[in-house]
Amino acid sequence: MIELKSPSEIEAMRPAGRFVASVLTALRDAADVGVNLLELDALAHRMIRDAGAESCYIDYHPSFGAMPFGKVLCTSVNDAVLHGLPHDYRLRDGDLLSVDFAASVDGWVSDSALSVVVGTPDPEDLRIIKATEDALAAAIAVALPGNKLGDISATIGDLARANGYTVNTQFGGHGVGRTMHGDPHVANDGRAGRGLKLRPGLVIAIEPWLMRTTDDIYTDPDGWTLRSADGSRGAHSEHTIAITDGAPIVFTDRGVA
């Protein structure tokens, strides 16, 4: 069921967006060679506790997860491309790290993700990160009242292909509100002019994610982490936004966190 938020509810969602953005900024700054993924998870956990927020991940157990997630972050490294379960791993020079984080503040959720290279970057890693960031920015730019959901999806898919990447559509964006995942599903590829008409009050997470040389994935033995089928690296970018009468509101914009 798709629920449109009132102007007052949109305003009430802003603190969650600012908080999620601030946590991702802190995690990006903390990620360095030798830092353990469990240390990053602990940092986010402390920030949640200090802010009086609530984790959306720790007890999360959808049908595709082997058990409740148990951590407050997704930390996906190199060929781990989504839902990376934090574990005892110290980041190495050149690792590509994607961090996905969602939290609830005063009952409202925001969800966001970023990718960074730790230490010495491989140009191809920087290129795929930029492709996801550019796709996200372009998708947000067409998230306007009167446009269709397919315009967002087609924008992501077209930009991915223009950069030489194929698109996996098993996982994508989603509605956001009192819970982390709701309707509608926001695919990372589609046909322009098709699907749900965008209306003010619709709040969605848009999340392009790409892999270098495949669009196939498999589930790691940990029951959560999704890896590229051919071992190639992936990147992930995400913001939670609201459709308005004008330009969309980007709740998780780290520039205003």
Side-chain angles (χ1 to χ4, degrees):
M1 180 178 174
I2 298 171
E3 296 182 356
L4 300 180
K5 310 300 185 295
S6 68
S8 62
E9 288 174 325
I10 294 294
E11 288 303 308
M13 295 187 75
R14 289 182 185 270
R18 289 193 295 267
F19 174 68
V20 167
S22 70
V23 172
L24 281 175
T25 297
L27 292 166
R28 180 193 61 200
D29 293 344
D32 203 353
V33 175
V35 172
N36 198 301
L37 297 181
L38 295 176
E39 294 175 317
L40 295 178
D41 189 73
L43 171 59
H45 212 149
R46 287 195 301 272
M47 293 183 73
I48 289 170
R49 183 178 60 250
D50 291 347
E54 294 183 12
S55 170
C56 293
Y57 289 174
I58 199 160
D59 295 322
Y60 188 54
H61 191 187
S63 59
F64 58 80
M67 73 289 288
F69 192 71
K71 304 294 181 183
V72 300
L73 290 178
C74 291
T75 52
S76 304
V77 181
N78 298 332
D79 66 316
V81 293
L82 283 181
H83 306 163
L85 186 64
H87 59 285
D88 185 13
Y89 175 83
R90 293 194 177 278
L91 292 167
R92 302 170 183 171
D93 185 50
D95 277 348
L96 197 170
L97 169 68
S98 297
V99 181
D100 195 351
F101 177 69
S104 174
V105 175
D106 297 328
W108 294 105
V109 172
S110 264
D111 189 3
S112 188
L114 58 78
S115 293
V116 295
V117 177
V118 176
T120 309
D122 180 327
E124 285 302 308
D125 288 344
L126 297 180
R127 193 172 84 85
I128 195 170
I129 290 171
K130 186 175 187 300
T132 65
E133 293 173 341
D134 288 349
L136 178 57
I140 291 171
V142 299
L144 301 171
N147 283 351
K148 299 294 183 68
L149 197 61
D151 296 324
I152 293 174
S153 299
T155 296
I156 295 170
D158 289 348
L159 198 147
R161 282 185 290 274
N163 280 280
Y165 303 111
T166 56
V167 181
N168 178 295
T169 56
Q170 290 172 260
F171 295 91
H174 48 87
V176 179
R178 294 287 188 181
T179 61
M180 177 172 58
H181 288 152
D183 294 328
H185 173 68
V186 186
N188 284 330
D189 198 12
R191 297 179 64 182
R194 298 294 183 91
L196 177 75
K197 184 176 181 179
L198 302 180
R199 297 171 57 191
L202 179 67
V203 177
I204 54 176
I206 303 173
E207 50 180 314
W209 62 281
L210 298 169
M211 297 172 284
R212 277 198 196 177
T213 55
T214 186
D215 55 18
D216 290 328
I217 54 177
Y218 71 92
T219 303
D220 193 83
D222 68 15
W224 273 100
T225 303
L226 298 178
R227 296 186 181 274
S228 65
D230 63 358
S232 62
R233 294 182 171 196
H236 182 196
S237 296
E238 178 182 17
H239 277 311
T240 297
I241 73 162
I243 310 298
T244 73
D245 289 320
I249 296 169
V250 183
F251 291 120
T252 49
D253 183 356
R254 293 182 294 279
V256 296

